[in-house]
Every structure is written in C-alpha cells, then in structure tokens.
Amino acid sequence: MTTDQTPPDTGTKPLRADARRNRARLLEVAEAVFTERGTGASTEEIAREAKVGIATVFRHFPTKEALWEAVLVRRLQRLAEEGRRLMTESGPAHAFFAFFDLVLDQSPVKNAFAAALADAGVDVRAATSEAGRALREVLVALLDGAQRAGVVRRDLEVPELTAILVGTCRMLEHLDGHPESAKRARAVVRDGMRAHPGSRGGRGRPHS
Amino acid sequence: MTTDQTPPDTGTKPLRADARRNRARLLEVAEAVFTERGTGASTEEIAREAKVGIATVFRHFPTKEALWEAVLVRRLQRLAEEGRRLMTESGPAHAFFAFFDLVLDQSPVKNAFAAALADAGVDVRAATSEAGRALREVLVALLDGAQRAGVVRRDLEVPELTAILVGTCRMLEHLDGHPESAKRARAVVRDGMRAHPGSRGGRGRPHS
DNA sequence: GACGATACGGATAGGCCACTCCGTTTGTCC
DNA sequence: GGACAAACGGAGTGGCCTATCCGTATCGTC
C-alpha cells in the first residue's frame, strides 16, 4: 500500500500530505474510470469522481496521457509483482498457468488491462517501458520454467505470449455475462499453449 | 429505423447516379479510414478522402454512428458470403479452419474488424443484428460440420467462437510486424480449438 | 496561533468535431 | 436544350473536452 510508486529517486521533493492522498485517490479512480469507460473518458469525470477540482488532476499529471501512463505503469508493476510471487509460491509447472488465470481473472471487466499490456509491448514512454521490461522478465521466467517442466509447448516465446494474454482478455471481455462460454474460450487458449501430450518434450506440434 | 442501407430492396426510391457513386465511395473510404485510425477518426477526414463535402456524408448517413454501422454491416455480409463459399468449395473438415485463417488474414491491419464482430455479437442495431444473424448461421454450419468431421473439439460453441475470432484478431494486430510470433499465436488458438487427438470424439477435454 | 509555502477549486480560454443551412451545381426526363 | 428536382459543397453553430489562471484554503513549522 505505501509504495510511492513514482520512482522514489529523481530528487523529488516530499509531497504534502493532502497532495499525496489526492494523487493516490486519483490513480485509483482513474484506473476504475478508464477501465469502465475506456480511454475516451473525460478528465472532468475522473476529477469529479475523485472529489477534486480539474486543476488538481492536471497539477499532478501534466497531461491526460500522462495520467493514463501512470495508471498503466501501476498495473504493470502489480502484475510483475504477482508473477514473482506465484513463481516462488508454486512450482514452475503450475506458476505459468496460475499467472495466466490470474491475469484473466484480474480484469474481468473491460479492456483497460489489455490496452496496458498492448502498450507495454509496443514500448510507449520511458516509464512505461521500464515497468514493461520488469514484467517481461517475469514472463520470461514463467515461460521458461513451464517449458522446462514440459507443460507448455516449446515453440512459444514471450512476444506472442503477451499478445495471447491481450487477445484472451478481449475474448473474455466479449463474453462477459456468459461464464460457460468464457470458461470454454479460456480452455481453448490454455490447451493451445499446453505441450501436446503426444509429442513428449519435442517441438510444439507436428505440423503447421 | 427503416435503414436504407446497401441492399436495393425496401422500396427505397432509386438513387441518382452520382449519389449512388458517392455513397459507395464513402463506404469504401470510411471502412479504410475507420480501420486505420479507429472509430475516433473525424467525419471530415472521411469526407475529404472521399472527395465530397461533409454535408454529403451526413445526407447519406444521418449520423456518424450510422455510417459506422453501415460499414459494419457490409463487413459482416461479406464475411458470411465468404463463409458460405468456403463451405461449398471445401469439405467441412477444411472449411472451418480455412474460414478461421481467412478472417485473420483479411484484417491484418487494425481493430476495426474485431470491433465489427464484437458489436455483432452483442447485437447493436436492427440492421447490424440482421447481418450478424446471417453470419452467425454460417458460423453454426461451419462449426457443426467441423465437429462432425471430428477436427474440432466438441465442447466448442458459437458464442465463444465469435469471441475467439475477435480476440485472435487482437492478438495478431498486436503482433503486427512480427510474422513469426503471429504465426505461433495463431497456431496456439488453432490447436486449442482442434479436437484433442487422444480423446477421440468424446467431450472436449478431460478437465477444467 | 500565526506565517510562509504548498496545494486546491472553479471559471474560462481555445480547439476539435458532429451536425445544419442555404446558395449553387448536376442529373434526368421531356 | 430546357426545366425541375435531386444532390452537392462548405461556411457556420453549438457542445464537449483538455488545459490554464488566479484567488482561496490548507499544511507544516515555530
């Protein structure tokens, strides 16, 4: 909770108490609003929902895009954290799919997370790509562990893994309200990533 | 509302020659622009690119949303058509995956198509859901044929199939410029939909 | 509790965009 | 080829949205 997420270095002066609280609340609310209404949601709405003036929003985040970026970074950081936790708590064979499920469960709502991962992949800003890099490292470890354990097809690599997560998020978003279909869609992707039982340890799949 | 959209039926008065051409060109251009810049693209840009005044756009499509809807319907119609063609040209075992690839190849560019399918699934307007219904029928036939032929897992149903197409579009969009990764991501989904070689004809998968 | 610095809030500027009005052009039919 | 309706073009309008200015309130420190 504490986690003054903005890098604690950069010689930034200690923020005043209320400012600190407002900033945190803004990030919270912004994440919710962006998640619900998409990036097109107006800054005014976020301000209203966070019970601050618009000026306060722009004081903390010089631009709307900067706010979006900050929300993004927070998400990526949390995700990387949870990935690391899973790796130490479960064995490598389980951690990978646990993370897969966690990602998909975490954002049952809308597309914001997909956008987050998407942007991370494309490496937008410095901060974002910093957090994105951390997450990517976790993904590498998870994937490698699962492949060594023989539970994930060997030909899978990180770039497409990111895309698969993004795409599957979209699938589930689209199946919101149809839990049975969502379960099956998820199973399709999960099974597709699984090492083929027949081809023990070999390349991923016999043909195309 | 009545929706004087593309089909020359519904007793709509015969359009003047130039009007007809403009309308067609507008749809063409709008599809391209929406596909490239997203739904946020300005109507003015579409008008400019189509070499007509803005008023002409709004004369043919009373609202921006109506224009988007018309583009959508066109896409869905074309897709259903191609699905039907595939069904008669190839055997049922091949048609399903051929359609899968066709959908994914057809929109290598951006998200517009995904949005199309997505909206179709949720059934937005009357016209859209009409076209959407036609496409859904094709999907039913394709899926059923492939399942009878034993090449697609039995537990797959149409709702998640739509979502899978949408989500996979997004995957590939995200992997634009990385053809190898895109190929593997596509393989993951395709293999996930395939009937498991071990479980012959049975339910889709042993567990969760 | 008082003072300086820091942060806040609301009114507002400025830009973009969907949509309209009306004078002008173009197609169609005789 | 002429007349009438249909369609066109583009300037204009109103609304929304990002971003800023400045007077006011709050924090932190003595």
Side-chain angles (χ1 to χ4, degrees), chain A residues 16 19 22 52-53 55-56 59-60:
Chain A
R16 221 170 73 177
N22 278 337
V52 298
T56 300
R59 193 172 306 112
H60 284 289

Side-chain angles (χ1 to χ4, degrees), chain B residues 147 150 152-156 195-206:
Chain B
Q147 284 173 331
V152 164
R153 53 197 290 169
R154 277 241 141 68
D155 66 344
L156 197 63
H196 190 283
S199 71
R200 42 168 112 204
R203 308 264 90 209
R205 224 63 200 312

Side-chain angles (χ1 to χ4, degrees), chain A residues 86-96:
Chain A
L86 277 176
M87 272 200 297
T88 60
E89 286 185 5
S90 330
H94 189 246
F96 179 85

Side-chain angles (χ1 to χ4, degrees), chain A residues 100-111 164-190, chain B residues 159-160 162-164 166-168:
Chain A
F100 177 74
D101 281 330
L102 182 146
V103 166
L104 299 185
D105 288 334
Q106 197 175 65
S107 64
V109 259
K110 286 275 177 312
N111 55 351
I164 286 169
L165 286 170
V166 171
T168 311
C169 274
R170 185 150 176 81
M171 279 183 209
L172 299 191
E173 167 193 346
H174 187 231
L175 289 173
D176 199 34
H178 301 260
E180 290 307 314
S181 287
K183 206 190 275 186
R184 288 192 293 264
R186 192 188 286 220
V188 163
V189 177
R190 201 195 297 115
Chain B
E160 58 262 30
T162 308
I164 286 170
V166 171
T168 310

Side-chain angles (χ1 to χ4, degrees), chain B residues 20-132:
Chain B
R20 199 168 181 67
R21 260 181 307 148
N22 279 337
R23 191 176 195 286
R25 191 143 35 90
L26 267 174
L27 279 172
E28 208 77 37
V29 169
E31 178 162 350
V33 172
F34 279 143
T35 300
E36 204 151 336
R37 312 246 202 297
T39 328
S42 84
T43 318
E44 218 161 340
E45 184 174 350
I46 293 171
R48 192 165 358 100
E49 202 123 345
K51 276 160 188 150
V52 300
I54 313 159
T56 299
V57 181
F58 284 97
R59 194 171 306 112
H60 284 289
F61 308 95
T63 212
K64 186 190 182 181
E65 197 187 346
L67 172 58
W68 165 241
E69 210 174 288
V71 168
L72 221 84
V73 166
R74 235 170 62 111
R75 278 211 139 151
L76 294 179
Q77 283 177 341
R78 274 200 315 238
L79 222 57
E81 219 169 294
E82 301 203 70
R84 275 188 292 264
R85 186 174 54 75
L86 277 176
M87 272 200 298
T88 60
E89 285 185 6
S90 329
H94 190 247
F96 179 85
F97 290 106
F99 185 76
F100 178 74
D101 281 330
L102 182 146
V103 166
L104 298 184
D105 288 333
Q106 197 175 65
S107 64
V109 259
K110 286 276 178 310
N111 54 352
F113 170 70
L117 259 183
D119 284 358
V122 191
D123 93 312
V124 254
R125 299 275 167 281
T128 313
S129 69
E130 159 78 26

Side-chain angles (χ1 to χ4, degrees), chain A:
Chain A
M1 47 147 169
T2 65
T3 102
D4 54 332
Q5 47 77 229
T6 355
D9 38 43
T10 55
T12 40
K13 56 277 165 182
L15 229 47
R16 221 170 73 177
D18 53 347
R20 200 171 179 63
R21 260 182 307 148
N22 278 337
R23 191 176 196 285
R25 192 143 34 91
L26 267 174
L27 278 171
E28 208 76 39
V29 169
E31 179 161 349
V33 172
F34 279 143
T35 299
E36 204 150 337
R37 312 247 202 298
T39 329
S42 84
T43 317
E44 220 161 337
E45 183 174 352
I46 293 171
R48 191 164 3 99
E49 203 124 341
K51 277 160 186 148
V52 298
I54 314 157
T56 300
V57 181
F58 284 97
R59 193 172 306 112
H60 284 289
F61 308 94
T63 210
K64 186 190 181 181
E65 197 187 346
L67 172 58
W68 167 240
E69 211 173 288
V71 168
L72 221 84
V73 166
R74 234 169 64 110
R75 277 211 138 151
L76 295 179
Q77 283 176 342
R78 273 200 314 239
L79 222 56
E81 219 168 294
E82 302 201 69
R84 277 189 290 264
R85 184 175 55 75
L86 277 176
M87 272 200 297
T88 60
E89 286 185 5
S90 330
H94 189 246
F96 179 85
F97 289 108
F99 185 76
F100 177 74
D101 281 330
L102 182 146
V103 166
L104 299 185
D105 288 334
Q106 197 175 65
S107 64
V109 259
K110 286 275 177 312
N111 55 351
F113 170 72
L117 259 183
D119 284 359
V122 191
D123 93 311
V124 254
R125 299 274 166 282
T128 313
S129 69
E130 159 78 23
R133 197 154 39 80
L135 176 59
R136 195 141 48 241
E137 272 172 33
V138 173
L139 286 179
V140 167
L142 280 167
L143 180 58
D144 189 61
Q147 285 173 331
R148 281 177 200 276
V151 294
V152 164
R153 51 196 290 169
R154 277 241 141 67
D155 65 346
L156 197 63
E157 294 181 13
V158 171
E160 57 262 31
L161 177 56
T162 307
I164 286 169
L165 286 170
V166 171
T168 311
C169 274
R170 185 150 176 81
M171 279 183 209
L172 299 191
E173 167 193 346
H174 187 231
L175 289 173
D176 199 34
H178 301 260
E180 290 307 314
S181 287
K183 206 190 275 186
R184 288 192 293 264
R186 192 188 286 220
V188 163
V189 177
R190 201 195 297 115
D191 291 348
M193 290 191 299
R194 207 160 253 157
H196 189 284
S199 69
R200 40 169 114 205
R203 308 263 89 208
R205 226 61 198 311
H207 68 299
S208 77

